[in-house]
């Protein structure tokens, strides 16, 4: 049809224009194994900078790799300091109330939120590669710690053990994070897809908001469960204990926080209004309670916060049964979540400023700051989006803004903690709710629905699992659905028929390009994935079905019978022994039907394995072509110059093309 007017070359002419498909030269096993390891674990070639350098220079470059401050520190200027000073003070005003609030969310003493905003930022400033990441505690990790540790130990009945388990879990989280970076296993974090994170964060934010109803309504007794049904049952079964004073204060402060955020979004130059709003609410709330003695009328306050810097806690780790398992499990899950958030936030802002960050280096930095932090009364920290966004908008230039923030927190710990005595808990609840509303990204969910329905299912699976079951269940559901999708991609790869674009030698999918022409007597199929044991059976059955459908179509139209089946293998990056067995079976099927199997554009790895398995000898070198166009020309030449019965294996009119 599309090639009816094509002038077919003579045998000699065809031999000159065709290109043979080469089998790559054999490589020693250890060299091949080394290259595979390098591509898997060192795609960025981190050792490149050490080539052809003196030993002393290599040592200094090694120090710079693990301590990036040695790289940018010598170039630090007074102009950078001015920008970082403003950014550091701004994020400190957000870090202090957030730290206290999130520690409360994890059922930990409020002072730990301040401790966690002092030591870890100093470590990250030395080891981190992001200029914009602002280190601190995060709501989702705090909720996870409170939920998972709370299942084993009651924070009210046994506060010392609960606190020690929190330090132990943080230690194991840091150990996991640093190990992933050192072993260059950061791709594990990639299993938390964008859709998974959107749904998980939205669900966790919803759960956190519901949990804050305890503080807003001034309830003394509240469920330890995080699912929506238990929380709502706990809220509405205690209507008689609701305190209107606390509710009014909470509504007023929440309205103020949301209004300041809305104004800052509309006027980006006034970002500092939103950043200063949490600290402003803390000051106003504390003054209001102090002047009106509201603590005597149903408004709960923080109470005493001891002055002083972080006390050591490395002697408080719990390494005994039955709590060690709980600490390890909590540390691993929260560590992965915190790592995913920190790296994602760092990469986002690095993209805005046109620089790159090293993911494995970030893992080592985040892991180290949590290991050190756990030894000095800190719980899990990472780079939260809200604080990093404020740092970015404030014009930070380097990680020195974290040092400025840490110094501001240190000053607070030494001199200002008594001022938080009258801070109402309802203000902390309002701060948390305001921050969590920003994590419910409904616009991203709508975008997922429009672009990819399966991603939307992953997102909603995570959200529903978190909201109606628990944070852990939601995470497991989301990861399970994501892995299932990955397996489906591997086990059910796309195969489609190719046709010829008019007046060209280009072959494309007939579904994507309806104007393509069929090639009489030839079925061209494209396999769009590597061929492995997981998909070989499916591909064999699907290819047989394509052949059946093509033969039925040709019989119904009375056109030329099917003679050749061409596989375009340009997308087949690799093949295993099961895949080779599948090709051998397909070869036998086509032989029984009197068809000739032809391969087009197999890659180097595929050719190497086909050669070692002797499949090239089975199919014949003359039936393997560099492009689909050459394969079609060869088949057309055969159809128009040879008798139909000459399509058997012994007929080789252009051997050794």
């Amino acid at each position: 049809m599309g090639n009816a007017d094509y002038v077919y070359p003579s045998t000699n002419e065809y031999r000159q224009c065709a290109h043979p498909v080469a089998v790559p030269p054999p490589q020693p096993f250890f060299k091949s194994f080394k290259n595979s390891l390098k591509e898997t674990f060192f795609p960025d070639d981190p050792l490149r900078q050490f080539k052809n350098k003196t030993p002393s220079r290599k040592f200094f470059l090694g120090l710079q790799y693990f301590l990036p401050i040695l790289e940018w520190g010598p170039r630090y200027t007074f102009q950078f300091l001015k920008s970082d000073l403003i950014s550091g003070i701004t994020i400190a005003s957000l870090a202090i109330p957030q730290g206290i609030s999130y520690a409360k969310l994890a059922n930990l003493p409020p002072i730990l939120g301040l401790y966690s905003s002092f030591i870890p930022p100093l470590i990250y400033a030395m080891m981190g590669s992001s200029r914009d990441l602002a280190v601190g505690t995060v709501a989702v990790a705090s909720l996870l710690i409170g939920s998972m540790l709370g299942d084993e130990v009651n924070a009210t009945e046994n506060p010392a053990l609960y606190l020690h388990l929190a330090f132990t879990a943080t230690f194991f989280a840091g150990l996991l994070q640093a190990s992933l970076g050192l072993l260059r296993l950061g791709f594990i974090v990639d299993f938390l897809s964008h859709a998974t994170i959107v749904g998980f964060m939205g669900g966790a934010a919803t759960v956190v908001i519901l949990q804050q109803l305890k503080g807003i309504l001034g309830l003394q007794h509240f469920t330890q469960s995080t699912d929506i049904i238990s929380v709502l049952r706990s809220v509405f079964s205690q209507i008689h204990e609701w305190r209107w004073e606390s509710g009014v204060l909470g509504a007023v402060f929440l309205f103020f926080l949301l209004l300041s955020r809305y104004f800052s979004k509309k006027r980006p130059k006034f970002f500092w209004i939103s950043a200063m709003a949490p600290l402003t609410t803390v000051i106003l709330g504390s003054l209001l309670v102090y002047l009106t003695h509201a603590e005597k009328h149903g408004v709960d306050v923080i109470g005493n916060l001891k002055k002083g810097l972080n006390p050591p806690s490395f002697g408080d780790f719990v390494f005994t049964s039955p709590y060690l398992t709980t600490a390890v499990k909590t540390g691993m899950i929260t560590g992965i979540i915190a790592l995913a958030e920190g790296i994602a936030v760092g990469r986002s802002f690095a993209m805005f400023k046109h620089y790159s960050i090293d993911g494995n280096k970030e893992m080592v930095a985040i892991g180290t700051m949590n290991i050190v932090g756990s030894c000095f009364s800190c719980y899990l920290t990472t780079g939260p989006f809200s604080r990093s966004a404020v740092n970015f908008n404030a014009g930070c230039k380097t990680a020195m803004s974290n040092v400025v923030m840490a110094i501001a927190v240190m000053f607070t710990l030494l001199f200002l903690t008594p001022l938080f005595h009258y801070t109402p808990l309802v203000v902390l609840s309002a701060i948390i709710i305001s921050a969590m509303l920003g994590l419910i990204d409904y616009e991203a969910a709508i975008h997922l629905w429009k672009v990819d329905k399966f991603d939307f299912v992953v997102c909603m699976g995570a959200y529903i699992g978190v909201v109606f079951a628990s944070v852990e269940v939601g995470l497991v559901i989301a990861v399970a659905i994501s892995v299932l999708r990955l397996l489906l991609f591997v086990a059910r790869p796309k195969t489609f028929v190719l046709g010829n674009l008019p007046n060209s030698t280009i072959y494309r999918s007939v579904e994507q390009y309806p104007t393509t022409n069929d090639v009489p007597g030839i079925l061209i199929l494209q396999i769009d994935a590597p061929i492995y044991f997981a998909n070989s059976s499916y591909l064999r059955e699907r290819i047989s079905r394509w052949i059946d459908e093509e033969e039925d179509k040709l019989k119904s139209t009375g056109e030329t019978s099917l003679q050749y089946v061409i596989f375009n293998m340009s997308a087949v990056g690799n093949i295993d022994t099961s895949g080779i067995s599948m090709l051998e079976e397909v070869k036998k099927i086509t032989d029984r039907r009197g068809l000739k199997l032809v391969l087009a554009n197999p890659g180097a790895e595929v050719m190497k394995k086909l050669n070692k398995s002797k499949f090239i000898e089975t199919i014949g070198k003359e039936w393997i072509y560099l492009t689909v166009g050459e394969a079609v020309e060869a088949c057309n030449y055969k159809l128009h110059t040879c008798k139909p019965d000459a399509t058997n294996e012994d007929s080789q009119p252009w051997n050794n093309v």
Side-chain angles (χ1 to χ4, degrees):
M1 288 183 284
N3 296 314
D5 300 325
Y6 182 81
V7 178
Y8 297 96
S10 68
T11 302
N12 289 332
E13 290 174 331
Y14 191 80
R15 286 174 181 169
Q16 292 174 1
C17 68
H19 299 85
V21 179
V23 177
Q27 286 187 341
F29 170 75
F30 287 105
K31 183 178 179 181
S32 177
F33 183 68
K34 176 184 174 183
N35 290 337
S36 297
L37 285 180
K38 184 177 179 181
E39 289 302 313
T40 302
F41 298 105
F42 301 94
D44 54 341
D45 193 12
L47 301 178
R48 181 185 177 193
Q49 59 179 329
F50 296 97
K51 293 178 182 177
N52 303 320
K53 297 290 192 301
T54 62
S56 59
R57 182 61 180 165
K58 287 180 180 179
F59 176 76
F60 185 71
L61 288 173
L63 283 179
Q64 281 187 338
Y65 181 82
F66 289 103
L67 297 171
I69 192 172
L70 297 177
E71 182 180 349
W72 57 262
R75 303 194 306 268
Y76 199 73
T77 65
F78 182 71
Q79 293 298 322
F80 285 178
L81 178 61
K82 288 196 296 184
S83 298
D84 289 338
L85 194 62
I86 295 171
S87 302
I89 294 173
T90 305
I91 57 176
S93 68
L94 181 64
I96 293 168
Q98 271 192 352
I100 295 172
S101 303
Y102 293 161
K104 171 178 168 286
L105 191 61
N107 297 321
L108 293 168
I111 194 67
L112 257 68
L114 297 181
Y115 289 161
S116 301
S117 296
F118 174 48
I119 296 290
L122 295 175
I123 303 296
Y124 184 83
M126 292 187 292
M127 301 186 67
S129 59
S130 172
R131 306 170 195 167
D132 303 281
L133 207 67
V135 171
T137 55
V138 287
V140 175
S142 300
L143 175 69
L144 271 170
I145 289 173
S147 172
M148 297 181 72
L149 294 183
D151 290 340
E152 296 294 329
V153 178
N154 190 300
T156 305
E157 296 174 0
N158 200 342
L161 177 59
Y162 185 90
L163 183 63
H164 296 168
L165 282 177
F167 295 148
T168 310
T170 301
F171 173 78
F172 281 113
L175 203 61
L176 173 68
Q177 293 167 337
S179 300
L180 289 178
L182 289 171
L183 299 175
R184 305 189 69 81
L185 298 175
F187 59 85
I188 293 176
V189 179
D190 294 335
F191 279 95
L192 294 175
S193 65
H194 173 67
T196 302
I197 293 174
V198 168
F200 178 76
M201 290 294 187
T206 303
V207 167
V208 171
I209 290 170
L210 292 172
Q211 288 281 332
Q212 299 318 300
L213 292 175
K214 174 186 178 182
I216 294 291
L217 299 174
L219 299 176
Q220 297 297 320
H221 306 287
F222 206 70
T223 179
Q224 295 293 319
S225 302
T226 59
D227 63 283
I228 186 172
I229 296 175
S230 299
V231 171
L232 292 180
R233 184 187 294 124
S234 182
V235 169
F236 288 103
S237 64
Q238 304 181 72
I239 294 179
H240 58 285
E241 295 185 17
W242 290 7
R243 297 178 179 176
W244 67 267
E245 301 94 339
S246 181
V248 170
L249 273 179
V252 170
F253 286 126
L254 181 59
F255 176 77
F256 170 73
L257 290 167
L258 294 178
L259 184 64
S260 64
R261 175 186 292 178
Y262 176 79
F263 181 78
S264 293
K265 279 187 176 181
K266 290 294 183 181
R267 302 287 183 86
K269 290 183 179 180
F270 294 95
F271 69 90
W272 53 270
I273 293 179
S274 177
M276 297 292 291
L279 186 59
T280 304
T281 57
V282 168
I283 295 171
L284 292 176
S286 301
L287 285 174
L288 184 63
V289 169
Y290 177 76
L291 295 174
T292 62
H293 301 288
E295 77 278 9
K296 299 178 181 178
H297 299 88
V299 177
D300 294 327
V301 296
I302 289 179
N304 291 322
L305 291 179
K306 59 181 180 180
K307 292 196 295 185
L309 300 180
N310 303 36
S313 57
F314 45 80
D316 297 333
F317 294 151
V318 179
F319 295 130
T320 57
S321 294
Y323 303 113
L324 179 60
T325 303
T326 301
V328 172
K329 183 177 73 171
T330 303
M332 292 184 69
I333 293 177
T334 55
I336 290 290
I337 294 296
L339 200 59
E341 181 175 358
I343 292 177
V345 171
R347 284 177 176 167
S348 299
F349 290 112
M351 181 180 65
F352 286 133
K353 286 190 176 179
H354 308 292
Y355 69 94
S356 61
I357 64 172
D358 186 328
N360 290 295
K361 192 185 299 184
E362 284 295 285
M363 287 184 235
V364 174
I366 293 173
T368 304
M369 76 183 186
N370 279 314
I371 292 173
V372 175
S374 67
C375 297
F376 292 94
S377 301
C378 303
Y379 79 102
L380 192 68
T381 54
T382 186
F385 179 80
S386 58
R387 203 176 300 183
S388 300
V390 170
N391 195 32
F392 175 83
N393 289 326
C396 69
K397 299 299 182 183
T398 67
M400 186 60 71
S401 58
N402 280 288
V403 176
V404 176
M405 177 187 70
I407 293 172
V409 172
M410 178 190 72
F411 184 81
T412 302
L413 286 168
L414 290 174
F415 305 108
L416 303 180
T417 48
L419 299 179
F420 292 98
H421 177 91
Y422 290 100
T423 301
L425 296 181
V426 66
V427 168
L428 304 183
S429 295
I431 292 171
I432 292 174
I433 291 175
S434 173
M436 291 303 97
L437 287 174
L439 291 181
I440 303 177
D441 196 349
Y442 63 90
E443 291 180 350
I446 294 172
H447 179 72
L448 290 174
W449 170 259
K450 291 179 180 178
V451 175
D452 192 322
K453 301 296 189 292
F454 202 106
D455 267 351
F456 179 78
V457 171
V458 172
C459 175
M460 293 310 298
Y463 182 85
I464 292 171
V466 171
V467 171
F468 287 93
S470 66
V471 176
E472 305 97 286
V473 170
L475 183 62
V476 169
I477 289 173
V479 173
I481 296 175
S482 296
V483 172
L484 175 62
R485 185 180 196 187
L486 180 65
L487 293 176
L488 286 175
F489 276 139
V490 174
R492 294 295 183 267
K494 292 289 185 182
T495 60
F496 43 85
V497 176
L498 302 184
N500 176 233
L501 290 177
N503 303 315
S504 75
T505 58
I506 299 173
Y507 295 83
R508 292 292 182 267
S509 168
V510 297
E511 290 186 4
Q512 185 178 1
Y513 298 91
T515 59
T516 55
N517 297 316
D518 294 334
V519 184
I522 302 174
L523 173 63
I524 311 169
L525 298 177
Q526 176 155 325
I527 302 172
D528 217 16
I531 304 175
Y532 293 127
F533 65 93
N535 60 27
S536 58
S537 295
Y538 166 79
L539 286 173
R540 183 185 63 251
E541 295 168 2
R542 191 66 186 91
I543 289 167
S544 297
R545 188 171 134 204
W546 278 121
I547 295 173
D548 290 338
E549 291 174 353
E550 183 68 14
E551 288 186 330
D552 291 343
K553 185 180 77 171
L554 292 176
K555 285 179 183 177
S556 64
T557 58
E559 297 178 1
T560 306
S561 62
L562 185 62
Q563 298 291 325
Y564 297 94
V565 178
I566 299 175
F567 286 172
N568 179 17
M569 303 184 71
S570 57
V572 182
N574 210 328
I575 190 169
D576 67 358
T577 53
S578 298
I580 295 171
S581 298
M582 184 275 292
L583 289 180
E584 291 172 345
E585 291 179 32
V586 171
K587 174 73 169 58
K588 293 176 182 177
I589 292 171
T590 54
D591 286 347
R592 286 197 300 268
R593 295 186 178 211
L595 306 176
K596 177 58 67 177
L597 180 63
V598 184
L599 304 184
N601 197 20
E605 193 67 24
V606 174
M607 281 297 290
K608 183 170 66 176
K609 292 184 178 179
L610 293 182
N611 182 55
K612 289 182 177 179
S613 66
K614 307 298 183 182
F615 182 77
I616 292 180
E617 295 180 10
T618 302
I619 192 174
K621 288 183 179 180
E622 68 278 5
W623 297 113
I624 302 177
Y625 293 91
L626 193 61
T627 66
V628 174
E630 288 187 358
V632 171
E633 287 179 5
C635 294
N636 271 326
Y637 175 80
K638 183 80 168 170
L639 282 170
H640 288 78
T641 59
C642 302
K643 297 178 181 179
D645 61 355
T647 57
N648 57 59
E649 293 183 15
D650 298 326
S651 179
Q652 300 177 0
W654 47 80
N655 288 339
N656 301 319
V657 171

